[in-house]
Each structure stands twice: as C-alpha cells, then as structure tokens.
Amino acid sequence: MTLTAQLKELAEGSAQRYPGEAQEIMREALSQLEKTDILTQASKTGDYIPKILLSNAKGEEISVNSILDNHKVVLTFYRGTWCPYCNLELRTLQNALPQIEAKGAKLIAISPQTPDSTLTTKEKNELTFEVLSDLNGEIAREMNLVYKLPSSLVELYKTFKIDLENSNGNLENELPIAATYVVEQTGKISYHFLAEDYKLRADPEDILRAL
C-alpha cells in the first residue's frame, strides 16, 4: 500500500474516533490556513535552500549544506512525534531509505521539536537517518513554511494530551506545513511537495522518481 493510501486510511479512522465538534474545529483550522498565501510564499522548485545548521537528536550540529558537497538531499519537514501522520510518513521514508541512498541522496527530517523530543521520534520509529531540531521554526520560517495554530485547535490538541509548548520549547504554537524537497548539490530545489493539509505527504514513489 502506498503512503498516500495509508494516510487516507488513517484519516478515515481518525474521523470515526473523533467525530462532531473535534472534526469541525480541525476542518475550520484547515480552511483558515487554505485562505492564506502560504503555498505561494513557500520555497519551491527552482529556489535555493538557506544555510541549514541544526542539532540532531544527540545534540550534534549537522550542516545540510556540507552534506550537499557529496550528496543530493531529501529534506522533509514534519510537525512532531505527537502527529500520527508524521510518524507514518517517517516510517515509510525509513523503508524507502535504501532506494533513496542508492540514488546518491541523503534523507534528513526537520521538526520544531526540542532535541529530546526528536530523540523520542527517532527511537519510536527506529529511524537511521538524521532527525534535526529546528527550534522556533527558524529554518522553516526562512522557507516560508510556518503558520500559527488557531486557539481553538490548540485547546483541542490539549484534550488529546498534545502539549506543543512543552515539545517545541516555546509559546508560539507554530508549526510547519507538510513539505518535502529534493535538493541538488548546488543547493537548488529540483522537486517540492507542499500541502496545507497535514494529512497529505509526499509519497516515496514520487520522491524516488524525482531523484
């Protein structure tokens, strides 16, 4: 089953588990985001990535630009370890990692979570690629991927035991939209996937074709 099909199945199950008002709050939040120009402003094919120097789960600084000296990079932004759609995406990318690396690319995931939280993500999903911590969403902001959650959605998440202030280490309740890029060794983006809807992600089959 493709990642796209798995995500659809997950979304259908979520709608059944959290019906009524919860679904309405999530739909309204998505509707508000879709009315912005975030997709127009976001980095996309033809743009160049900024300088990216971030800490991994062990607190080591990783330079994406240095990795580009020898490899292409598949760069994916995700919301956090609390997001089931993100975890499904990361596990599926892990399964596709041998094929990605066979094409001469390195896979790197970035989230606004603290290093401790990204370590939880890495361990939980048994990932062997780098998971980097973009505190305060600085890199995501440079690439125009950041949006602020409405208060109604923040409060709903709290009922799900999702504490963004704790996992992200700030009070802004900001997240990146779903975004995946193939970055050439020049730093130029040759493929992009962008979606306001967090239930949609780049399918590994499309990423591999882009490589």
mmCIF file of all heavy atoms in Angstrom, residues 47 79 83 90 113 186 204:
data_model
loop_
_atom_site.group_PDB
_atom_site.id
_atom_site.type_symbol
_atom_site.label_atom_id
_atom_site.label_comp_id
_atom_site.label_asym_id
_atom_site.label_seq_id
_atom_site.Cartn_x
_atom_site.Cartn_y
_atom_site.Cartn_z
ATOM 1 N N ASP A 47 13.999 27.361 -6.338
ATOM 2 C CA ASP A 47 14.588 28.158 -5.259
ATOM 3 C C ASP A 47 15.803 27.437 -4.685
ATOM 4 O O ASP A 47 16.021 26.250 -4.931
ATOM 5 C CB ASP A 47 13.562 28.383 -4.135
ATOM 6 C CG ASP A 47 12.383 29.244 -4.571
ATOM 7 O OD1 ASP A 47 12.561 30.060 -5.499
ATOM 8 O OD2 ASP A 47 11.296 29.081 -3.991
ATOM 9 N N ARG A 79 5.621 17.819 11.722
ATOM 10 C CA ARG A 79 5.102 18.570 12.863
ATOM 11 C C ARG A 79 5.654 18.098 14.199
ATOM 12 O O ARG A 79 5.990 18.912 15.056
ATOM 13 C CB ARG A 79 3.572 18.485 12.883
ATOM 14 C CG ARG A 79 2.948 18.976 11.584
ATOM 15 C CD ARG A 79 1.480 19.237 11.703
ATOM 16 N NE ARG A 79 0.715 18.074 12.161
ATOM 17 C CZ ARG A 79 -0.536 18.140 12.588
ATOM 18 N NH1 ARG A 79 -1.152 19.314 12.639
ATOM 19 N NH2 ARG A 79 -1.186 17.059 12.957
ATOM 20 N N CYS A 83 2.290 13.566 16.186
ATOM 21 C CA CYS A 83 1.437 13.543 14.987
ATOM 22 C C CYS A 83 1.490 12.168 14.322
ATOM 23 O O CYS A 83 2.536 11.761 13.815
ATOM 24 C CB CYS A 83 1.907 14.615 14.003
ATOM 25 S SG CYS A 83 1.106 14.525 12.391
ATOM 26 N N LEU A 90 7.408 9.143 8.379
ATOM 27 C CA LEU A 90 8.807 8.864 8.702
ATOM 28 C C LEU A 90 9.125 7.375 8.605
ATOM 29 O O LEU A 90 10.191 6.988 8.113
ATOM 30 C CB LEU A 90 9.145 9.398 10.090
ATOM 31 C CG LEU A 90 9.083 10.924 10.260
ATOM 32 C CD1 LEU A 90 9.349 11.302 11.709
ATOM 33 C CD2 LEU A 90 10.063 11.622 9.328
ATOM 34 N N GLN A 113 10.538 20.512 17.115
ATOM 35 C CA GLN A 113 10.652 19.959 18.454
ATOM 36 C C GLN A 113 12.053 20.137 19.025
ATOM 37 O O GLN A 113 13.028 20.293 18.295
ATOM 38 C CB GLN A 113 10.310 18.469 18.436
ATOM 39 C CG GLN A 113 8.841 18.190 18.147
ATOM 40 C CD GLN A 113 8.524 16.722 18.310
ATOM 41 O OE1 GLN A 113 9.122 15.880 17.653
ATOM 42 N NE2 GLN A 113 7.604 16.410 19.190
ATOM 43 N N THR A 186 23.960 21.718 -5.699
ATOM 44 C CA THR A 186 24.130 23.170 -5.788
ATOM 45 C C THR A 186 23.312 23.914 -4.732
ATOM 46 O O THR A 186 23.484 25.120 -4.560
ATOM 47 C CB THR A 186 23.682 23.677 -7.162
ATOM 48 O OG1 THR A 186 22.291 23.319 -7.362
ATOM 49 C CG2 THR A 186 24.518 23.069 -8.275
ATOM 50 N N PRO A 204 6.888 8.363 -1.197
ATOM 51 C CA PRO A 204 8.251 7.970 -1.557
ATOM 52 C C PRO A 204 8.427 7.626 -3.039
ATOM 53 O O PRO A 204 9.496 7.864 -3.607
ATOM 54 C CB PRO A 204 8.507 6.753 -0.664
ATOM 55 C CG PRO A 204 7.687 7.011 0.540
ATOM 56 C CD PRO A 204 6.435 7.663 0.015
#
